[in-house]
Amino acid sequence: MLNYISRRLVLLLIVVLGVTIMTFVSMNLAPGDPAEMIAMARYGLENLTAEEVEHIRISEGLDAPVWIQYTHWLAHALRGDFGRSLVTGDPVLQEIIVRAPATLMLALASLIVSLLIAIPAGIISAAKQNSLLDYLARSGALLGASMPNFWLALLLILLFSVTLGWLPVFGYGELRHIILPAVTLGTGLAAVSTRLIRSSMLEVLEQDYITTARAKGLREGNIISRHAFKNAFIPVITVIGLQLGHLLEGTVIVESIFGWPGLGKLLVDSIFARDYALIQACVLLFAVFFVLINLLVDILYVYLDPRIRYEKKG
Amino acid sequence: MALLSIRNLTTIFNCEEGQLKACSNVSLDINPGQTLGIIGETGCGKSVLGMSVLRLLPANAVINGQIMYKNQDLLTLPDKEMCKVRGSEIGFLPQSPSTSLNPVLSIGEQLTEGLQLHRGMIKEKARIIALDILRSLGLKDSARTSAEYPHQLSGGMKQRVLAAISISGQPSLLIADEPTKGLDAVNRIQVVDLLRQLSRKTRASLLLITHDLKVAAALCDEIAVMYSGEIVEKGPAEQVLNNPLHPYTQGLVASLPERGLYPIPGHSPGLLDDSPGCRFYSRCPIGNEKCKCQPIINREVDGVHVRCLYIDQSGGAQQRIYGRGFQSEAG
Amino acid sequence: MSVFKNKLTLIGMIIILLLLCAAIFAPVLTPHNPNTQCLSQALKGPCSDYPCGTDEFGRCIFSRIIYGARVSLAIGIAVTAVSAAIGVVLGMAAGYYGRAVDEIIMRIVDIFLAFPGLILALVVAGLLGPGIGNVMLALALVGWMGYARVVRGTVLAEKEKEYIETARSLGANDLYIMFRHLLPNVIAPVIIMASVGIGYAILAAAGLSFLGLGAQPPTAVWGSMLSDGKTYLQTAPHLTIFPGLAILVTVLAFNFLGDGLRDLLDPRLKDKAWNRG
């Protein structure tokens, strides 16, 4: 297990190196002068002067070759110093630490929404195969998997904020603020999970041990909740872990729409501002989250499946 | 008074290819404490017969006829009532021990379920009884076994655990589905012992479904031979095995290794085939046109029911096709 | 079951064909020029003159959606083609040569899979600057890993077979064996993945253009139409409803097709008919 975790951490390191290098390369391949962009972001178009641009170029080290800029950044990052935002001048680390909880909260809330939908839908769909409910669940899943989340977000706003006036569009801090973004992200995830849980349940319900359980006289509900679900859920967990990655992707757009003050919105804003100190740090944090989530999922998997659990012990 | 009395049981599967008749017009009786063996080749419908009694078939199966158990027809019971019959009245020993236990629940959890459900025990009590049952079936370190998961047990241990589960509800009837399938000789003897132990301990009737004539000979009081969904011969075990009347039973006996391993030529007809006559006709050495077209009626000879046109009413003159009976060679 | 699936596959194919026609014959099919502004007609709801209404500049939304299909389909198909090509080449090399080549390629795949692809695409496309080409590049960059994995697996299984030995003994070189003998085996799974992949690429591209990346104004693009429309959500919801519907229907069609093709080409994945109710 330890061996496995350390391998994961090495992978994390490589991923961080990879994506940050790619960010640097993209930054420098882009047309336009980063120093000018930053100056524009800081002082606005009207106050832009050549001296200021030059000043920024030198003070931010943008005159050095790319690889020096990168190693410079890396050396500092390894010491926990992610620099200052090129636009606001605030320390990046602080900015990110302030923003991270919002994204994690949104991701968690979305995951809860998706499981609240997918678990019952998947189970009912499998238990009542080819019934009306099954068709409804499957159609819903197909629809959900093809639904652009930014469109869904706008439709939800249209219905619940504009027409009914029940929920606010923007805001942060109260439960009612998280509902629309979490539902937007959660339903997309639920679509995929429902299909998975359904097919996994169907496979499990065919197993011999289910017949054994039925022959004991257990009720169908008991068989599904106690004997089938745990078996069916184990393979689903891995995929849900992967799906969480897509959830992080989704936060980028959904946070922008709902003005949710998380990492996703921060990343988008900093990309348009070309604030690459912030971009690098956001990208790095997303990589850390993604790898850690997958690590957690794998550990959960081991915990749930006695076959693996005991192999590791023995 | 029979404990289980099956009348005209017909089980049909609605498949894409058409209607698959796995059991047709099966009638059987099992008396209290008696062991009835259903023997036949793989795919003859004998497992479906067992599962029809428990009503544990896929949704595309249609069961017709009557299954009278303790004077109630199981086929007309509501689902809820049927659940009460399963496990507590009728126990089931499944055919493949390796896949028949839930991999993510401990042995103890799987064994106490039935006790709690059917005998109304609280968890602690159920645990104690479960350990007793395991011990009585030869699993000495029952506390440890109970805490373990299926993948930690050997095949033999799993079979014992399944046996423990099957009797935990104190059923009056046990259905054992191919308990010796895929086992080597040594393990087969152990399973036969186990089944003997079970019927002695529980005094339950046993419906033993097997393709293994020797196991049937060792355990059964009565034997029914099944071929392509139909019972072709049934009667007291000794009589059926020593003096097989139906050409198919004779063929089965002759195909035993110690009888020279003469296989019956040909294949059994698909269960989709629905011709009126004898289903064994195409492989039968004495069959003719009459067998093919004419519905066959059961005849009784010395307490043995045979489904063949050419069984003499007197019972003495039937042709010996595949050599002698079963026991004559065993000595 | 199979009827349900087959019907959906057929619907998917019909929709895709209609979209292709719409994209190709856009100038003939559209009632208005997609970029002609007519401020007097701004923000009109759907009517006989403008089937989907008009936007804030009085441009015909229906015409813009039809022209948007060109961009969307072009991006979807191009991105998928490039991703699939990269994936097939790398997957084939990994499977065929094995050892170090396999190890290196598959580790690269792992690295790419260990980061949320759309975020990487966003960063790359965002930094490279606006433009359809950059979006395509970014999406292709993060979309090839699945193909590489599947192709590698198929090649691994196939290369041990006797006909490959025979071909080699007859003097065929590696490239010939790969493209003449191994390639046909990977076509079916790649096509299945690609049909779903086009839908996914269209969705991702729409997402990026919603954020303001990709084709720039005045080019009609579904994603940015939505993004522009959201300002008028309160007064003119048709600005967001119709372009979104276009994305949904298109992606749905490719998913239907992908599902159907999977059943058709890969019988192992077919739903089993023998389940208890």
Side-chain angles (χ1 to χ4, degrees):
Chain A
M1 196 71 206
L2 232 95
N3 181 22
Y4 171 77
I5 291 176
S6 55
R7 269 202 346 248
R8 273 306 178 96
L9 294 179
V10 171
L11 177 69
L12 173 61
L13 214 68
I14 300 173
V15 170
V16 167
L17 281 178
V19 289
T20 48
I21 288 175
M22 229 176 280
T23 310
F24 252 87
V25 171
S26 310
M27 179 90 188
N28 284 278
L29 281 179
D33 177 3
E36 203 178 304
M37 299 268 196
I38 293 161
M40 208 147 75
R42 274 190 201 173
Y43 310 114
L45 193 58
E46 311 84 59
N47 309 321
L48 202 62
T49 62
E51 291 89 70
E52 261 156 3
V53 171
E54 275 320 298
H55 178 71
I56 284 172
R57 195 189 312 285
I58 290 158
S59 67
E60 302 297 342
L62 295 171
D63 51 346
V66 185
W67 64 273
I68 290 191
Q69 285 183 42
Y70 181 71
T71 42
H72 186 76
W73 175 82
L74 191 65
H76 280 88
L78 285 176
R79 274 178 264 142
D81 172 15
F82 292 94
R84 286 168 179 277
S85 160
L86 301 186
V87 178
T88 61
D90 293 335
V92 166
L93 194 63
Q94 191 190 321
E95 183 82 354
I96 287 182
I97 289 172
V98 171
R99 297 285 198 117
T103 293
L104 287 182
M105 208 197 304
L106 178 58
L108 195 68
S110 311
L111 184 66
I112 291 170
V113 169
S114 82
L115 291 180
L116 282 180
I117 300 171
I119 290 176
I123 288 176
I124 291 171
S125 190
K128 307 261 177 234
Q129 199 192 4
N130 293 334
S131 67
L132 182 69
L133 282 174
D134 182 23
Y135 280 94
L136 277 177
R138 282 162 61 201
S139 312
L142 260 174
L143 206 65
S146 310
M147 182 74 115
N149 54 18
F150 42 93
W151 190 49
L152 180 63
L154 295 180
L155 291 184
L156 290 174
I157 291 173
L158 185 60
L159 180 62
F160 291 104
S161 305
V162 176
T163 311
L164 297 172
W166 290 354
L167 292 166
V169 180
F170 298 109
Y172 175 70
E174 286 171 54
L175 180 69
R176 61 201 184 101
H177 293 129
I178 206 171
I179 294 176
L180 285 184
V183 168
T184 305
L185 280 173
T187 43
L189 185 60
V192 184
S193 309
T194 302
R195 289 179 89 168
L196 272 168
I197 292 175
R198 176 181 184 271
S199 63
S200 187
M201 277 297 278
L202 283 178
E203 207 179 310
V204 167
L205 286 174
E206 276 188 352
Q207 301 297 312
D208 289 340
Y209 55 79
I210 296 298
T211 308
T212 310
R214 288 199 173 112
K216 275 182 210 169
L218 299 180
R219 297 277 173 75
E220 205 56 30
N222 202 340
I223 283 168
I224 283 168
S225 63
R226 188 174 153 88
H227 284 266
F229 182 66
K230 206 170 160 194
N231 281 291
F233 202 63
I234 289 171
V236 172
I237 285 173
T238 329
V239 186
I240 288 184
L242 283 175
Q243 286 298 309
L244 272 172
H246 289 288
L247 208 63
L248 288 181
E249 295 173 351
T251 58
V252 172
I253 289 177
V254 170
E255 285 183 0
S256 299
I257 295 176
F258 290 100
W260 190 257
L263 286 174
K265 187 173 181 334
L266 185 66
L267 178 63
V268 174
D269 291 347
S270 50
I271 284 174
F272 283 103
R274 314 216 137 236
D275 189 345
Y276 68 90
L278 259 179
I279 299 175
Q280 291 287 35
C282 285
V283 160
L284 193 149
L285 211 58
F286 273 120
V288 172
F289 282 160
F290 193 63
V291 174
L292 285 186
I293 286 169
N294 281 308
L295 188 62
L296 269 176
V297 165
D298 285 343
I299 291 170
L300 188 66
Y301 194 99
V302 171
Y303 170 75
L304 279 177
D305 193 336
R307 282 163 293 193
I308 306 176
R309 198 196 310 163
Y310 281 82
E311 263 167 41
K312 302 275 165 181
K313 265 193 200 168
Chain B
M1 176 66 225
L3 175 73
L4 180 78
S5 169
I6 300 172
R7 287 291 169 267
N8 303 323
L9 179 80
T10 299
T11 303
I12 290 169
F13 291 94
N14 292 312
C15 301
E16 278 175 38
E17 296 81 19
Q19 290 201 323
L20 208 141
K21 216 175 195 179
C23 294
S24 55
N25 260 318
V26 172
S27 296
L28 290 170
D29 288 297
I30 304 178
N31 292 319
Q34 198 188 32
T35 298
L36 168 67
I38 313 273
I39 59 176
E41 296 162 296
T42 305
C44 71
K46 56 191 191 302
S47 290
V48 172
L49 176 63
M51 296 312 255
S52 299
V53 173
L54 284 164
R55 283 173 48 189
L56 286 178
L57 290 168
N60 62 342
V62 181
I63 313 174
N64 278 311
Q66 237 188 6
I67 302 177
M68 300 299 290
Y69 174 84
K70 287 188 176 168
N71 283 331
Q72 54 184 351
D73 186 355
L74 296 183
L75 293 183
T76 59
L77 277 188
D79 284 344
K80 218 170 134 187
E81 296 298 311
M82 192 61 210
C83 277
K84 288 183 190 158
V85 171
R86 290 186 201 123
S88 75
E89 289 293 341
I90 305 179
F92 176 65
L93 188 59
Q95 58 172 291
S96 34
S98 56
T99 55
S100 292
L101 286 168
N102 193 328
V104 301
L105 296 177
S106 72
I107 300 303
E109 287 174 289
Q110 298 188 54
L111 183 50
T112 50
E113 262 176 346
L115 294 169
Q116 288 172 267
L117 183 73
H118 295 302
R119 291 162 72 177
M121 293 179 185
I122 55 164
K123 222 174 190 162
E124 290 71 30
K125 178 88 193 292
R127 223 182 96 75
I128 294 166
I129 301 290
L131 294 183
D132 277 349
I133 300 175
L134 287 175
R135 219 172 294 127
S136 75
L137 288 176
L139 291 163
K140 300 242 161 45
D141 197 352
S142 57
R144 181 182 160 177
T145 308
S146 160
E148 285 182 317
Y149 287 86
H151 70 279
Q152 294 168 287
L153 305 184
S154 69
M157 288 165 90
K158 280 183 208 164
Q159 189 130 32
R160 275 163 204 281
V161 169
L162 284 163
I165 290 173
S166 73
I167 60 168
S168 64
Q170 294 177 319
S172 313
L173 171 66
L174 260 180
I175 299 178
D177 188 5
E178 297 267 24
T180 58
K181 195 177 195 175
L183 296 183
D184 59 29
V186 178
N187 286 321
R188 201 163 53 180
I189 293 168
Q190 284 179 353
V191 171
V192 170
D193 279 347
L194 178 66
L195 287 170
R196 267 213 196 97
Q197 234 178 311
L198 286 186
S199 43
R200 221 183 13 244
K201 208 184 304 283
T202 60
R203 296 175 191 285
S205 305
L206 177 62
L207 178 64
L208 176 68
I209 296 162
T210 182
H211 65 282
D212 190 330
L213 265 63
K214 283 186 177 168
V215 171
L219 290 166
C220 299
D221 304 310
E222 297 252 330
I223 279 182
V225 182
M226 202 162 173
Y227 182 77
S228 190
E230 292 177 338
I231 302 288
V232 294
E233 181 166 355
K234 70 178 171 194
E238 269 180 37
Q239 235 169 306
V240 171
L241 293 176
N242 291 332
N243 188 20
L245 298 176
H246 194 282
Y248 175 64
T249 319
Q250 294 180 15
L252 270 187
V253 171
S255 66
L256 284 170
E258 55 271 40
R259 305 283 319 145
L261 219 126
Y262 294 109
I264 308 172
H267 297 283
S268 83
L271 294 168
L272 286 167
D273 182 12
D274 204 22
S275 50
C278 175
R279 302 187 64 81
F280 189 58
Y281 157 76
S282 62
R283 300 166 77 185
C284 183
I286 59 168
N288 61 22
E289 276 305 302
K290 224 171 150 188
C291 304
K292 189 180 172 184
C293 316
Q294 192 174 320
I296 315 287
I297 305 150
N298 276 339
R299 290 153 196 251
E300 199 184 328
V301 182
D302 293 340
V304 177
H305 295 257
V306 194
R307 196 179 180 83
C308 178
L309 279 179
Y310 290 95
I311 298 305
D312 202 305
Q313 288 287 3
S314 68
Q318 76 278 45
Q319 274 176 270
R320 187 49 79 219
I321 309 153
Y322 292 105
R324 288 160 301 157
F326 181 72
Q327 212 183 23
S328 47
E329 189 87 345
Chain C
M1 184 60 230
S2 54
V3 179
F4 179 68
K5 275 268 166 82
N6 285 339
K7 237 186 226 163
L8 290 186
T9 316
L10 192 68
I11 294 173
M13 279 169 72
I14 292 172
I15 295 174
I16 291 168
L17 281 177
L18 286 177
L19 278 167
L20 282 172
C21 289
I24 294 167
F25 301 111
V28 187
L29 292 170
T30 48
H32 302 272
N33 181 311
N35 298 326
T36 306
Q37 302 189 0
C38 181
L39 290 173
S40 63
Q41 301 286 328
L43 296 175
K44 272 183 77 170
C47 57
S48 57
D49 217 15
Y50 298 97
C52 299
T54 61
D55 66 6
E56 70 271 32
F57 300 113
R59 295 176 296 194
C60 170
I61 290 179
F62 178 73
S63 305
R64 289 181 68 73
I65 287 177
I66 298 282
Y67 273 90
R70 286 186 161 184
V71 182
S72 281
L73 288 176
I75 291 181
I77 292 167
V79 166
T80 306
V82 175
S83 304
I86 300 174
V88 168
V89 169
L90 290 181
M92 197 120 73
Y96 187 76
Y97 291 110
R99 293 166 192 273
V101 179
D102 186 25
E103 191 65 21
I104 292 170
I105 293 177
M106 292 329 280
R107 288 299 80 78
I108 295 176
V109 167
D110 284 347
I111 292 167
F112 268 89
L113 285 176
F115 192 77
L118 205 59
I119 292 181
L120 187 59
L122 170 75
V123 171
V124 171
L127 289 178
L128 286 180
I132 298 184
N134 291 338
V135 166
M136 289 196 207
L137 181 78
L139 288 177
L141 185 72
V142 299
W144 57 273
M145 295 84 74
Y147 300 98
R149 278 197 160 176
V150 168
V151 169
R152 171 182 175 269
T154 315
V155 168
L156 274 182
E158 206 64 27
K159 76 166 180 187
E160 299 301 330
K161 298 205 173 144
E162 277 175 21
Y163 70 89
I164 301 294
E165 276 305 309
T166 315
R168 201 172 288 139
S169 69
L170 289 173
N173 66 17
D174 288 350
L175 275 182
Y176 182 82
I177 290 176
M178 277 194 257
F179 284 92
R180 190 81 187 83
H181 290 293
L182 294 175
L183 191 61
N185 290 296
V186 305
I187 285 176
V190 166
I191 286 179
I192 295 169
M193 290 183 73
S195 61
V196 178
I198 294 177
Y200 182 73
I202 291 176
L203 199 58
L208 292 181
S209 80
F210 181 83
L211 289 175
L213 303 169
Q216 294 303 300
T219 315
V221 193
W222 294 343
S224 54
M225 286 171 73
L226 262 177
S227 168
D228 296 340
K230 72 175 189 281
T231 323
Y232 305 94
L233 200 57
Q234 230 154 344
T235 48
H238 63 270
L239 260 64
T240 45
I241 287 175
F242 291 111
L245 211 55
I247 302 173
L248 174 67
V249 169
T250 309
V251 178
L252 208 53
F254 281 102
N255 279 342
F256 285 168
L257 183 68
D259 274 9
L261 284 178
R262 181 164 43 219
D263 285 357
L264 200 71
L265 298 175
D266 194 352
R268 274 170 308 163
L269 297 170
K270 231 180 191 169
D271 270 15
K272 290 162 205 151
W274 245 55
N275 285 304
R276 203 173 178 284

